[in-house]
Amino acid sequence: MKDTIIVNHAEVLLENIGIELRRKVKLDGSDDELLESFIKNVEPNELHTALHLDYIFSDSNTDNELLPVDKKIAIIAHINYPDLIDKCLSEYIFKIPSGIDVFITTKGESNIKEISEKIKGKDQIKVIVPKDRGREISALFVACRDIALNYDYLCFVHDKKSHKGVQRMMGQSFMDLLWENTLKSDEYIKNVIATFEKEPRLGLLSPPPIAFVSPYFCGGLNAWNCNLHILRQLADKLKLTAIIKRTSHPFVLGTTFWCRTKALKPLFVPGFNYEDFPSEPMLADGTISHAIERIFPFVAQSQGYYSGLLMTEEYASLYLENYRYMLYKTVNHYLDEEKYQTFIDTPGEEELWREFYNKYDDIYILGFGAYSSAFLNYLLEQPVNKFRGFIRIPDPPDIAISFPMFNISEIDFQRNVGIMITSRDAEWGGVKYTLDENYCEKIFIGSNK
């Protein structure tokens, strides 16, 4: 090629909005050599950004009234909560076009009985009962493994619910996001399938992360959390050839998607067993299930496919405005106009982390959250693992159980110890009073998030 193609999006945005590259790379298979090179050599999230692989589909109009006759299509829906059965069936599953097979995974006698009664006479819908281990992930990759491999295109979706206070509304928002952007209507589904037909290298489409709900803002954008090292281990086990970068976060979350089944084949063959998944109660983060949730685009890349996000027109409008609002709020809070003129000028944390890593031999983290997860992932990627564990605080989150935890009194400050504090003051409890003047030089306040 004579032209120079820039994939670094920060450099692209110095000159234009990125439309030239999007137009240059043909997704219809007419220049497969170029596209194959991109898929092979560019990290999936960076490729998603560079090519703007966001798909917005109408849910009321379609030019594709007929499904492809030479393709087999299946939808697998995991329904766990009894009070969501009617919603899942009436608002979504009963609107699925004929010609698509539907498998509902559920457990518990009452769920099985109620769903079986409601789908009587609908021969395209069947109930599958998984074991009570691994939740929706094992329902798909263990209970439905042999079923999924019989189909060319596959959709997977599951219900979602939170039980406490404001989190209940967030759980409903998350579920709506997943189902609305995968099974909105007959027309929407046909438009999705038609796009897979038109783009032979398209492997995966997933709803966007739920970053627009405030408590998920950092989680949606800093999507590794404490799962990067587990995902790397899983990628090695699956013998993936994908590019995985700590500095490029997963853009697919929620374990809900449409896919070309062979794009995810390494997850089905040889596959998983129920014993591969933790028993209940499952941790809130840091398990193989959370690694699988983030690995789909990497599996697709390893198979020679690219991945993107899909949305209804309604959700695209919501996301555009919500991202604009959050961007402006963040910029106004963060940028000093006299020092930083663009987002490219803003300083990163890498230099601070590198200095801290080089200075100390034993490193501990006080606090949990997006910042501590990012710093932990940085530490675990270094040639010498200096991370010793978390400092115990009152009522630590579940993820803390995955790593060593120490009371402040157990730390030998005669050694070359450094403590990265990422916690809000309220979470410190009595710990901060133990970190007196003798220890101040060993402390770095990494974030007040």
Side-chain angles (χ1 to χ4, degrees):
M1 288 189 59
K2 295 181 179 179
D3 296 336
T4 299
I5 295 180
I6 300 175
V7 178
N8 185 311
H9 208 59
E11 295 181 25
V12 170
L13 293 180
L14 289 173
E15 300 179 357
N16 57 71
I17 64 173
I19 197 169
E20 285 81 3
L21 180 59
R22 178 65 178 85
R23 289 174 175 173
K24 187 182 292 289
V25 179
K26 306 299 182 183
L27 302 180
D28 61 3
S30 59
D31 190 355
D32 195 58
E33 183 178 353
L34 174 61
L35 185 54
E36 181 180 17
S37 178
F38 270 92
I39 295 171
K40 182 178 180 181
N41 296 296
V42 182
E43 189 273 340
N45 185 37
E46 294 175 356
L47 184 63
H48 164 251
T49 300
L51 298 185
H52 298 84
L53 297 171
D54 298 310
Y55 295 76
I56 301 169
F57 298 113
S58 171
D59 58 68
S60 58
N61 297 294
T62 183
D63 295 326
N64 311 280
E65 290 298 336
L66 300 177
L67 295 169
V69 296
D70 60 336
K71 299 293 195 306
K72 295 179 64 178
I73 307 168
I75 293 171
I76 300 174
H78 182 71
I79 303 177
N80 180 60
Y81 299 102
D83 56 332
L84 294 177
I85 290 175
D86 276 338
K87 177 181 178 67
C88 294
L89 293 178
S90 62
E91 295 185 21
Y92 301 102
I93 292 176
F94 290 163
K95 296 180 181 180
I96 292 171
S98 60
I100 297 179
D101 293 333
V102 180
F103 300 90
I104 299 175
T105 60
T106 192
K107 59 184 186 294
E109 291 185 10
S110 60
N111 275 12
I112 297 168
K113 181 179 179 180
E114 180 176 354
I115 294 173
S116 297
E117 286 289 331
K118 291 180 181 296
I119 65 172
K120 277 184 177 179
K122 301 181 184 295
D123 295 336
Q124 73 182 103
I125 307 177
K126 295 179 173 60
V127 174
I128 306 294
V129 182
K131 292 184 179 179
D132 191 12
R133 182 164 179 158
R135 300 183 185 178
E136 73 275 2
I137 304 283
S138 65
L140 173 61
F141 291 112
V142 182
C144 292
R145 173 172 51 214
D146 294 336
I147 292 172
L149 291 172
N150 288 323
Y151 291 87
D152 300 288
Y153 298 130
L154 174 69
C155 173
F156 181 69
V157 65
H158 61 94
D159 59 1
K160 190 80 177 175
K161 187 175 181 180
S162 297
H163 301 280
K164 297 180 180 179
V166 69
Q167 291 184 356
R168 184 173 183 178
M169 294 302 297
M170 290 189 292
Q172 184 62 60
S173 293
F174 201 171
M175 177 174 168
D176 289 344
L177 170 73
L178 299 180
W179 289 71
E180 288 282 295
N181 292 292
T182 49
L183 302 177
K184 174 63 176 178
S185 68
D186 174 290
E187 294 85 357
Y188 185 82
I189 293 171
K190 288 175 179 176
N191 287 332
V192 173
I193 297 300
T195 301
F196 276 99
E197 287 285 281
K198 293 173 185 176
E199 299 183 15
R201 289 277 187 171
L202 175 58
L204 178 84
L205 287 176
S206 176
I210 192 170
F212 65 83
V213 178
S214 291
Y216 288 109
F217 176 67
C218 290
L221 300 179
N222 180 25
W224 281 126
N225 292 339
C226 293
N227 301 291
L228 176 58
H229 66 295
I230 305 173
L231 183 139
R232 288 190 187 279
Q233 293 171 1
L234 179 58
D236 290 341
K237 178 181 178 181
L238 298 176
K239 297 181 171 57
L240 302 186
T241 58
I243 301 170
I244 302 172
K245 295 181 179 179
R246 173 181 53 82
T247 53
S248 187
H249 291 271
F251 65 96
V252 169
L253 294 171
T255 320
T256 293
F257 53 81
W258 277 95
C259 75
R260 196 181 304 271
T261 309
K262 57 186 177 182
L264 298 185
K265 187 175 179 180
L267 289 168
F268 290 102
V269 179
F272 300 94
N273 299 310
Y274 287 107
E275 291 71 27
D276 292 324
F277 300 94
S279 57
E280 297 292 346
M282 185 186 294
L283 300 181
D285 211 355
T287 72
I288 187 174
S289 294
H290 297 95
I292 292 173
E293 178 186 8
R294 290 158 173 80
I295 207 169
F296 300 121
F298 303 106
V299 177
Q301 182 190 38
S302 188
Q303 293 291 97
Y305 297 95
Y306 58 86
S307 303
L309 299 178
L310 80 168
M311 285 176 275
T312 64
E313 293 170 331
E314 179 183 36
Y315 267 81
S317 175
L318 290 170
Y319 264 76
L320 179 63
E321 183 57 28
N322 287 333
Y323 276 142
R324 184 202 66 80
Y325 172 81
M326 292 188 295
L327 174 64
Y328 285 2
K329 294 287 286 187
T330 302
V331 167
N332 290 335
H333 177 74
Y334 186 66
L335 295 183
D336 178 352
E337 293 183 1
E338 296 181 0
K339 187 174 181 180
Y340 308 123
Q341 298 302 313
T342 75
F343 67 91
I344 298 175
D345 298 327
T346 57
E349 300 288 346
E350 294 277 329
E351 186 175 344
L352 297 172
W353 292 351
R354 189 179 306 111
E355 180 181 347
F356 196 81
Y357 171 83
N358 290 332
K359 186 174 182 180
Y360 298 107
D361 297 323
D362 297 337
I363 296 177
Y364 298 84
I365 298 176
L366 172 57
F368 304 93
Y371 190 94
S372 60
S373 297
F375 182 55
L376 173 62
N377 289 331
Y378 171 84
L379 292 177
L380 296 179
E381 199 173 64
Q382 301 312 303
V384 177
N385 184 7
K386 297 183 177 182
F387 176 63
R388 301 296 176 254
F390 288 96
I391 293 178
R392 193 181 305 278
I393 60 174
D395 300 319
D398 288 343
I399 182 57
I401 302 174
S402 300
F403 297 92
M405 288 194 64
F406 299 88
N407 294 318
I408 191 69
S409 60
E410 296 178 291
I411 298 176
D412 182 5
F413 283 97
Q414 300 304 311
R415 292 178 55 80
N416 186 24
V417 171
I419 299 174
M420 175 69 75
I421 296 178
T422 67
S423 174
R424 295 182 178 90
D425 284 356
E427 295 175 344
W428 290 30
V431 174
K432 65 179 179 180
Y433 299 108
T434 308
L435 300 173
D436 57 24
E437 294 180 358
N438 293 326
Y439 305 145
C440 282
E441 65 180 19
K442 302 174 182 290
I443 299 172
F444 178 77
I445 309 295
S447 171
N448 196 33
K449 297 174 183 176

